[in-house]
């Protein structure tokens, strides 16, 4: 399915449609609604704009979940993973409250906002909380599918999104434990992409190297990755491309789960971005490029 809207907008539209069928769904925003928000317009009594109070938003969502509701909380990825970290740890981790934390501006997708709004460490934080499911969807269809899965379950979830860019993803969404093969495996080495920009990088690489397999993942918590292992284990070498730091990355988790395989990571490295720019410019400055993927291969 070709994407027609950004993942952030797809989340709002999908949640609004789900809320029409499920009265338990409530939407909490940390002042990201903008001039118009389709959920607020249609269900104003189930929409809360809590402003710049991310930890309080998570605490309130945990309380609503204890009353039988299905809260979705949206805020910047860096604020969800760090500013609200204790509330997320206690509410979603320790209490296993069925709250869905949806975080746009993942990675450096909010590049023009500068380093304070970048988030290259959130997956490591969320991965450290047992029981929290993690999705990094690519494109409209996969985002909608991830939101449906999160809404239908009873587990806490973290869904990482980009910002306003539309990503054309004409492939079948990868569900929990699933792999979407964008290039069938034919040799010892397989690319594994997580997120929109890394998937585009891998697609560009396989155009030059059609001998390389390319597996795309959406659900990347340890439990979901464990279910996906049979699909990936046929390759001797995995090159995992992701918009994240090496520590706590999907590559590091797969390396632990597949000790008899060679797992390499192509990621944003360990340098701190010092200035803003476009999304692609910032990724290039961090070394997340097609050249880096080819070198790792």
């Amino acid at each position: 399915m070709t994407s027609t809207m950004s993942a952030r907008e797809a989340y709002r539209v999908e949640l609004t449609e789900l809320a029409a069928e499920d009265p338990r769904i409530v939407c909490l925003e940390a002042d990201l609604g903008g001039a118009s928000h389709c959920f607020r317009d249609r269900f104003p009594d189930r929409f809360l704009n809590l402003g710049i109070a991310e930890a309080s938003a998570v605490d309130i969502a945990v309380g609503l979940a204890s009353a039988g509701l299905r809260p979705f909380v949206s805020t910047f990825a860096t604020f969800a993973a760090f500013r609200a970290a204790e509330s997320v740890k206690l509410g979603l981790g320790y209490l296993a409250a069925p709250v869905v934390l949806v975080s746009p501006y993942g990675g450096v997708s909010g590049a023009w906002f500068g380093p304070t709004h970048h988030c290259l460490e959130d997956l490591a934080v969320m991965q450290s909380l047992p029981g929290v499911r993690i999705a990094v969807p690519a494109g409209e269809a996969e985002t909608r599918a991830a939101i449906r899965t999160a809404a239908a379950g009873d587990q806490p979830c973290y869904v990482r999104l980009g910002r306003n860019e539309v990503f054309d993803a004409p492939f079948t969404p990868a569900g929990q434990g699933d792999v979407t093969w964008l290039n069938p495996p034919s040799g010892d080495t397989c690319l594994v992409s997580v997120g929109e920009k890394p998937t585009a990088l891998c697609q560009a690489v396989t155009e030059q190297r059609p001998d390389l397999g390319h597996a795309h993942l959406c659900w990347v918590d340890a439990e979901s990755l464990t279910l996906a292992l049979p699909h990936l284990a046929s390759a001797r070498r995995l090159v995992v491309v992701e918009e994240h730091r090496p520590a706590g990355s999907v590559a590091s988790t797969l390396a632990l789960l597949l000790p008899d395989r060679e797992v390499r990571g192509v990621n944003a490295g360990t340098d701190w971005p010092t200035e803003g720019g476009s999304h692609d410019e910032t990724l290039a400055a961090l070394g997340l490029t097609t050249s880096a993927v080819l070198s790792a291969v």
Side-chain angles (χ1 to χ4, degrees), residues 100-173:
V100 182
L101 192 54
V102 181
S103 296
Y105 296 81
V108 292
S109 59
W112 287 112
F113 289 88
T116 58
H117 286 57
H118 297 165
C119 193
L120 295 166
E121 310 83 15
D122 54 326
L123 301 185
V125 173
M126 298 302 169
Q127 189 72 266
S128 69
L129 304 177
V132 177
R133 296 292 178 261
I134 303 170
V136 188
E140 176 187 349
E142 195 162 73
T143 299
R144 284 174 171 264
I147 296 304
R148 288 195 298 272
T149 298
D154 58 359
Q155 291 177 310
C157 296
Y158 177 73
V159 183
R160 184 209 229 204
L161 305 177
R163 192 176 173 236
N164 292 330
E165 187 172 344
V166 176
F167 178 72
D168 189 13
F171 52 80
T172 303

Side-chain angles (χ1 to χ4, degrees), residues 22-33:
D22 188 348
R24 302 176 305 144
I25 292 177
V26 292
C27 180
L28 290 73
E29 291 263 349
D31 210 22
L32 291 183

Side-chain angles (χ1 to χ4, degrees), residues 50-275:
L50 298 167
I52 309 302
E54 291 82 2
S56 295
V58 173
D59 291 340
I60 290 169
V62 171
L64 293 172
S66 70
L69 299 176
R70 190 58 164 143
F72 282 70
V73 183
S74 183
T75 185
F76 284 63
T78 191
F79 302 151
F82 292 96
R83 185 177 292 176
E86 184 177 15
S87 293
V88 174
K89 173 188 173 182
L90 296 178
L92 279 68
Y94 183 68
L95 296 176
V99 171
V100 182
L101 192 54
V102 181
S103 296
Y105 296 81
V108 292
S109 59
W112 287 112
F113 289 88
T116 58
H117 286 57
H118 297 165
C119 193
L120 295 166
E121 310 83 15
D122 54 326
L123 301 185
V125 173
M126 298 302 169
Q127 189 72 266
S128 69
L129 304 177
V132 177
R133 296 292 178 261
I134 303 170
V136 188
E140 176 187 349
E142 195 162 73
T143 299
R144 284 174 171 264
I147 296 304
R148 288 195 298 272
T149 298
D154 58 359
Q155 291 177 310
C157 296
Y158 177 73
V159 183
R160 184 209 229 204
L161 305 177
R163 192 176 173 236
N164 292 330
E165 187 172 344
V166 176
F167 178 72
D168 189 13
F171 52 80
T172 303
Q176 286 183 292
D178 293 337
V179 170
T180 294
W181 289 102
L182 301 187
N183 208 46
S186 59
D188 288 341
T189 301
C190 178
L191 303 177
V192 179
S193 64
V194 179
E196 295 181 345
K197 291 293 185 179
T199 298
L201 288 178
C202 290
Q203 288 176 307
V205 167
T206 55
E207 289 180 1
Q208 301 180 49
R209 289 284 306 274
D211 57 302
L212 296 172
H214 176 193
H216 166 73
L217 299 172
C218 174
W219 292 88
V220 295
D221 53 273
E223 290 82 357
S224 297
L225 290 175
T226 299
L227 295 174
L229 291 183
H231 303 289
L232 300 173
S234 60
R236 184 180 62 83
R237 298 175 67 246
L238 299 176
V239 177
V240 185
V241 186
E242 54 191 317
E243 193 171 341
H244 195 271
R245 297 203 184 281
S249 62
V250 175
S252 65
T253 303
L254 284 174
L256 291 172
L257 294 173
L258 291 168
D260 58 342
R261 298 292 191 275
E262 180 184 352
V263 180
R264 294 189 178 189
V266 179
N267 47 58
T270 58
D271 290 338
W272 290 102
T274 57
E275 58 188 44

